[in-house]
Amino acid sequence: MDRDIFICHNCPMTRTMATIGTKWKPIIIYTIGKKKVRFGVIHAKMGIISKKVLTDQLRELEEDGIVKREVFKELPPRVEYSLTPKGLELLPILNMLTRWNQKHHGNTSGKGLRVR
Amino acid sequence: MDRDIFICHNCPMTRTMATIGTKWKPIIIYTIGKKKVRFGVIHAKMGIISKKVLTDQLRELEEDGIVKREVFKELPPRVEYSLTPKGLELLPILNMLTRWNQKHHGNTSGKGLRVR
DNA sequence: GATACTGATAACAATAAAGTAACCAGGAAA
DNA sequence: TTTCCTGGTTACTTTATTGTTATCAGTATC
């Protein structure tokens, strides 16, 4: 996404979408939650995201101060991700979104189960 | 976006993103707000969205019961969009997101003004 | 010595989303 | 008669996003 188009715009919603308005970012934030999570764990939990895209998105979230990245000098390497205070503040809002969805859409898991 | 990949998944955030997780939908919902708005007005307010994409997104929002579409048999045609109760419930949550953004990002409007 | 481990990265291919331009209805006004 | 009005639609092109595969480091285990 060309984030520049957004930044200039003076609609607050538009500016917000420039930061977290992508297919994966809210899911990544939600997946990390309040814990410290290794890259591989995020990847496994999300299931259907490629390593490359996950890396890219995590980098952008880090740039925007939403995610913290800690590298341990071990072998094999270990990298832990966690939410910054800014990211943590997003959690309750995302939870409201899922509650909104559950209320109106019901629980559709199991229906139309069609994983690639 | 291939919404089927999402629907099957049993992560609540993932299912939510299948409904409103696109570049434009939250902005459209925010733009309609509590009013009845004509197509042309939404288009003008948003500025940088094409008619085709706006039409497509409004159709999907209608399918998902978030937006209501009223057609008046006049010439030139008049079509008014408004949020359903389900859509209205989304408004305060979207407002929280913009407040989160304003708090952390500050008011960047005017900075790096780079409209296409 | 071959292989596995993790968290990447690079080059490339595929797909999805978004944008562009032309066109339509059909009555009213110039 | 031509032009404008609105809310689209259609066919097509462009751009953005996502995915695939191969590769790397450097130690430990088989």
Side-chain angles (χ1 to χ4, degrees):
Chain A
M1 174 163 29
D2 182 357
R3 304 163 94 208
D4 287 337
I5 305 173
F6 275 150
I7 287 159
C8 59
H9 222 254
N10 62 2
C11 159
M13 194 68 233
T14 303
R15 271 188 271 117
T16 304
M17 293 308 285
T19 313
I20 50 158
T22 68
K23 184 176 169 182
W24 295 116
K25 280 179 188 171
I27 304 175
I28 294 172
I29 295 166
Y30 188 86
T31 301
I32 296 177
K34 295 176 181 170
K35 307 174 297 292
K36 286 195 177 192
V37 200
R38 294 184 66 168
F39 177 87
V41 174
I42 302 175
H43 187 243
K45 276 198 181 180
M46 294 187 59
I48 50 167
I49 189 176
S50 68
K51 284 200 293 181
K52 184 198 148 229
V53 174
L54 181 54
T55 304
D56 293 348
Q57 301 288 303
L58 282 167
R59 287 291 182 285
E60 286 190 16
L61 287 169
E62 198 191 352
E63 267 181 49
D64 287 332
I66 292 167
V67 154
K68 185 176 145 202
R69 182 170 178 263
E70 288 178 276
V71 183
F72 297 84
K73 285 174 189 169
E74 301 175 3
L75 265 165
R78 179 158 65 104
V79 180
E80 286 183 351
Y81 291 92
S82 56
L83 296 182
T84 63
K86 177 178 175 184
L88 285 168
E89 279 180 45
L90 219 38
L91 276 185
I93 305 178
L94 296 184
N95 274 315
M96 291 179 78
L97 279 179
T98 64
R99 257 181 273 128
W100 168 85
N101 185 65
Q102 275 165 349
K103 176 180 172 187
H104 290 285
H105 200 63
N107 190 348
T108 43
S109 69
K111 299 229 177 193
L113 199 75
R114 219 185 315 177
V115 186
R116 281 209 284 221
Chain B
M1 174 162 27
D2 182 355
R3 303 162 97 211
D4 288 338
I5 305 173
F6 275 151
I7 288 159
C8 59
H9 222 254
N10 62 1
C11 160
M13 194 69 233
T14 303
R15 271 188 270 115
T16 304
M17 292 308 284
T19 313
I20 51 159
T22 67
K23 183 176 170 181
W24 294 117
K25 280 179 188 170
I27 304 174
I28 294 172
I29 295 166
Y30 188 86
T31 301
I32 297 177
K34 295 177 182 170
K35 306 175 296 292
K36 285 196 179 194
V37 201
R38 295 183 66 168
F39 179 87
V41 174
I42 302 175
H43 188 241
K45 274 197 182 181
M46 295 187 57
I48 51 169
I49 190 175
S50 67
K51 283 201 294 180
K52 184 199 149 229
V53 174
L54 181 55
T55 304
D56 293 348
Q57 301 290 301
L58 282 168
R59 286 290 183 286
E60 286 190 14
L61 287 169
E62 197 191 354
E63 267 181 49
D64 288 332
I66 292 167
V67 154
K68 185 175 146 203
R69 180 169 179 264
E70 288 179 275
V71 183
F72 296 86
K73 286 174 189 170
E74 303 174 0
L75 264 164
R78 179 158 64 105
V79 179
E80 285 182 352
Y81 291 91
S82 56
L83 297 182
T84 63
K86 178 178 175 183
L88 285 168
E89 280 180 44
L90 220 38
L91 275 185
I93 306 178
L94 296 184
N95 274 315
M96 289 179 80
L97 279 179
T98 63
R99 258 181 272 129
W100 168 86
N101 185 66
Q102 274 164 348
K103 176 180 172 187
H104 291 284
H105 200 64
N107 189 348
T108 43
S109 71
K111 299 228 175 192
L113 199 74
R114 219 186 310 179
V115 187
R116 280 211 283 222

